[in-house]
């Protein structure tokens, strides 16, 4: 993993806690939440305040996420808003924290100027000892305050001010006035500058969880399902009709289609479909030759073509199917029929424009595991776990590619691969094809018969 860390592909973009004042604030917050402190003089934290260095020191990388539910957080700076979330247990957690910080930007900026803000992502489930407990997670709410209880004191002070203004003898109540003065010294003027965070709740019906080998739960759809790529063992007697694993390719394809969750890359508007598919082919090629001692450093397009010619007998069906699709997209060749039984099928799809697009792309990354770029962008937990088992040649190639092609423009790369902005005009293929009209009516894989 040192190569990834060196290039900023792992533990990158974290907030550096490097001043005695920030370290002390972090320790007060850490002690407030967990009863523990760190002896480190500097370390890095993610959006939630989790630090891999502190986790190593405490020998507990779930010190802010006990049992993997109801994640706690420590905010030292609004700069954390752009940080990643490490050790993710639920796919929705980072987005919830970002929305909370966006909605309370001014208040959090003022509060973190003097103290750390601590809190928790709260739902009704305190453990997920069984898969059925996941179905009890329906809504997540955020509870937050400073380590010193500024918000609690501000609320109390507001109540005292109301008493002072409404009670006839308020002006003569020395005890009331003294208590107001004491609290005001902690909170400031809550009349002119009210200190209050918005009460926020977030529905959590469709999500991925790392528990039980990694599960994708889609409840808020016309046709709900639980998808467990690693297998269905132990997932019996759940309150959902359909449970699929990676072997149920036809069923997953129908699930996608019935809920309009995916679209073929070659039909996506405003993207260079051939370039995207060709890059997927490169990753498949690298995966096929990585154990042959081939030098891939600095490989260009001509080098990749030469590798494909020399090692054609080693190339899997995914490579040849995507190649046929590229030829159709660029030159109007014969239309390749790729059904859901084919190992290349999920490589040809991307999420359609729905509220669950990120979750669907995450699932597609797991169903098309040789596309290292999509896996890194959409499912980093899986990428890091899979990367550890790759040959050194593949590790080097993928890391170099991500540095050169992704790190330089992350937003642009995401938009090119997964964006849904309509272009000013319809994209055109190099040559028209007589099957175009049929594809427009039924889709590139043919009509899917619905029950």
């Amino acid at each position: 993993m040192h190569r990834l860390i060196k290039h900023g592909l792992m533990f990158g973009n974290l907030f550096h806690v490097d001043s005695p004042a920030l370290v002390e604030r972090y320790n007060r917050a850490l002690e407030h939440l967990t009863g523990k402190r760190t002896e480190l003089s500097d370390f890095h934290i993610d959006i939630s305040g989790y630090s891999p260095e502190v986790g190593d020191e405490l020998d507990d990388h779930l010190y802010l996420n006990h049992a993997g539910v109801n994640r706690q957080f420590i905010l030292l700076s609004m700069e954390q808003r752009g940080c990643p979330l490490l050790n993710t247990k639920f796919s929705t957690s980072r987005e919830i924290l970002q929305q909370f910080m966006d909605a309370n930007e001014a208040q959090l900026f003022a509060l973190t100027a003097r103290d750390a803000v601590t809190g928790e992502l709260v739902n009704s489930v305190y453990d997920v000892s069984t898969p059925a407990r996941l179905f009890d997670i329906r809504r997540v709410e955020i509870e937050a305050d400073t380590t010193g209880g500024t918000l609690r004191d501000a609320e109390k002070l507001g109540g005292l001010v109301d008493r002072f203004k409404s009670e006839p003898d308020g002006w003569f109540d020395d005890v009331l006035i003294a208590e107001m003065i004491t609290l005001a010294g902690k909170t400031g003027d809550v009349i002119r500058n009210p200190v209050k965070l918005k009460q926020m709740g977030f529905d959590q019906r469709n999500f991925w969880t790392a528990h039980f080998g990694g599960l994708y739960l889609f409840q808020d759809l016309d046709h709900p399902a639980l998808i467990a790529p690693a297998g269905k063992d132990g997932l019996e007697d759940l309150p959902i009709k359909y449970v699929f694993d990676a072997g149920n390719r036809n069923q997953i394809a129908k699930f996608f289609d019935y809920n309009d969750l995916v679209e073929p890359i070659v039909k996506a508007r405003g993207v260079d479909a051939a370039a995207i598919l060709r890059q997927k082919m490169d990753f498949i090629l690298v995966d096929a030759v990585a154990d042959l001692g081939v030098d891939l450093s600095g490989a260009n397009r001509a080098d990749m073509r030469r590798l494909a010619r020399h090692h054609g007998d080693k190339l899997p069906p995914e490579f040849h199917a995507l190649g046929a699709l590229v030829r159709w997209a660029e030159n109007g060749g014969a239309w390749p029929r790729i059904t859901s039984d084919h190992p290349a099928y999920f490589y040809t799809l991307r999420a359609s424009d729905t509220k669950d697009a990120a979750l669907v792309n995450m699932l597609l990354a797991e169903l098309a595991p040789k596309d290292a770029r999509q896996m890194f962008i959409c499912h980093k937990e899986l990428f890091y776990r899979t990367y550890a088992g790759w040959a050194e040649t593949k590790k080097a190639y993928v890391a170099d590619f991500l540095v050169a092609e992704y790190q330089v423009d992350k937003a642009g790369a995401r938009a090119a691969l997964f964006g849904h902005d309509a272009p000013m005009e319809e994209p055109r293929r190099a040559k028209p094809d007589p099957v175009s009209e049929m594809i427009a009516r039924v889709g590139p894989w043919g009509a899917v018969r619905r029950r």
Side-chain angles (χ1 to χ4, degrees):
M1 297 297 180
H2 294 292
R3 182 185 286 109
L4 297 180
I5 297 172
K6 175 184 175 182
H7 290 304
L9 299 171
M10 187 176 188
F11 301 145
N13 204 30
L14 298 178
F15 179 73
H16 193 192
V17 181
D18 59 351
S19 72
L22 287 179
V23 172
E24 179 53 32
R25 286 183 195 174
Y26 188 88
N27 264 326
R28 288 201 306 269
L30 185 60
E31 190 168 19
H32 174 72
L33 292 175
T34 69
K36 303 174 182 177
R37 293 177 65 88
T38 176
E39 298 298 325
L40 300 176
S41 59
D42 77 290
F43 46 89
H44 299 79
I45 59 175
D46 69 1
I47 187 174
S48 74
Y50 160 75
S51 167
E53 296 106 319
V54 173
D56 285 338
E57 179 194 21
L58 300 178
D59 194 24
D60 179 10
H61 287 280
L62 293 178
Y63 68 90
L64 290 181
N65 196 18
H66 180 70
V69 293
N70 291 348
R71 187 158 190 151
Q72 297 173 302
F73 59 86
I74 299 173
L75 302 182
L76 297 180
S77 168
M78 287 299 291
E79 291 184 36
Q80 288 174 242
R81 179 169 44 181
C83 296
L85 180 67
L86 305 179
N87 285 348
T88 305
K89 296 300 181 183
F90 289 91
S91 59
T92 54
S93 297
R94 183 172 186 264
E95 183 181 359
I96 288 174
L97 283 169
Q98 284 184 319
Q99 290 185 36
F100 169 70
M101 296 177 77
D102 288 342
N104 294 282
E105 183 173 7
Q107 295 90 335
L108 289 172
F109 184 83
L111 291 171
T112 54
R114 300 197 307 173
D115 200 356
V117 173
T118 63
E120 185 174 349
L121 276 60
V122 181
N123 58 60
S124 58
V125 174
Y126 296 96
D127 75 90
V128 285
S129 52
T130 65
R133 297 302 304 276
L134 294 170
F135 292 83
D136 296 329
I137 301 175
R138 294 176 175 271
R139 189 168 177 81
V140 176
E141 296 184 348
I142 289 186
E143 295 180 357
D145 201 345
T146 65
T147 306
T150 301
L151 299 178
R152 181 185 65 247
D153 290 341
E155 184 178 2
K156 184 177 180 181
L157 178 57
L160 295 178
V161 170
D162 290 340
R163 276 182 54 195
F164 177 79
K165 294 165 67 175
S166 61
E167 293 181 359
D169 298 328
W171 284 94
F172 306 103
D173 190 336
D174 293 338
V175 175
L176 175 61
I177 293 172
E179 190 173 1
M180 289 170 55
I181 293 172
T182 301
L183 287 175
K186 298 179 181 179
T187 66
D189 188 344
V190 297
I191 303 301
R192 294 184 179 180
N193 302 296
V195 182
K196 188 175 182 180
L197 297 177
K198 294 180 181 178
Q199 297 294 319
M200 303 185 70
F202 304 85
D203 290 331
Q204 182 159 302
R205 302 282 287 150
N206 301 338
F207 58 87
W208 167 87
T209 177
H211 297 282
F212 310 106
L215 303 177
Y216 298 81
L217 181 56
F218 294 89
Q219 301 175 87
D220 188 21
L221 294 175
D222 292 337
H223 304 278
L226 175 70
I227 299 177
K232 294 184 283 190
D233 291 344
L235 300 179
E236 300 82 12
D237 300 323
L238 296 180
I240 196 167
K241 185 175 181 180
Y242 297 108
V243 178
F244 306 133
D245 61 24
N248 303 130
R249 297 178 62 86
N250 292 332
Q251 292 89 336
I252 294 175
K254 290 178 181 179
F255 163 77
F256 282 153
D257 180 71
Y258 291 167
N259 292 291
D260 295 321
L261 293 176
V262 297
E263 63 182 7
I265 293 172
V266 293
K267 285 188 65 180
R269 302 179 64 181
V271 302
D272 188 345
I276 294 173
L277 294 173
R278 193 181 292 108
Q279 187 58 64
K280 291 176 184 283
M281 292 174 62
D282 285 349
F283 286 126
I284 294 170
L285 169 61
V286 169
D287 181 76
V289 304
D291 293 324
L292 303 180
V294 177
D295 182 12
L296 297 171
S297 57
N300 56 29
R301 178 62 54 196
D303 296 328
M304 301 305 284
R305 288 197 299 268
R306 185 164 50 253
L307 279 173
R309 289 195 299 270
H310 291 171
H311 302 282
D313 58 328
K314 302 289 194 306
L315 300 179
E318 298 97 312
F319 183 91
H320 299 295
L322 294 185
L325 199 56
V326 168
R327 288 192 294 274
W328 175 85
E330 290 187 329
N331 305 309
W335 172 252
R337 181 168 179 78
I338 304 174
T339 65
S340 57
D341 291 324
H342 197 287
Y345 178 75
F346 292 115
Y347 288 88
T348 68
L349 303 176
R350 73 171 194 171
S352 55
D353 190 9
T354 70
K355 63 182 178 62
D356 296 309
L359 182 62
V360 173
N361 279 326
M362 187 178 187
L363 174 55
L364 286 172
E366 193 153 357
L367 296 172
K370 295 177 184 178
D371 185 352
R373 174 173 57 181
Q374 176 154 343
M375 188 188 295
F376 178 79
I377 295 173
C378 301
H379 200 337
K380 283 188 173 57
E381 298 293 318
L382 178 63
F383 177 86
Y384 296 139
R385 188 167 67 249
T386 307
Y387 175 93
W390 289 344
E392 286 300 317
T393 302
K394 183 176 179 179
K395 288 180 179 179
Y397 176 84
V398 171
D400 290 344
F401 173 87
L402 292 173
V403 170
E405 303 291 336
Y406 175 67
Q407 290 284 76
V408 294
D409 184 11
K410 296 179 182 180
R414 288 174 179 271
L417 293 170
F418 311 117
H420 293 93
D421 292 337
M424 295 298 292
E425 60 181 20
E426 291 287 335
R428 293 174 293 177
R429 283 201 334 225
K431 295 181 181 179
D433 189 275
V435 299
S436 297
E437 185 177 350
M438 179 63 70
I439 291 170
R441 292 203 304 269
V442 302
W445 313 134
V448 177
R449 187 167 298 167
R450 299 174 187 263
R451 291 180 294 181

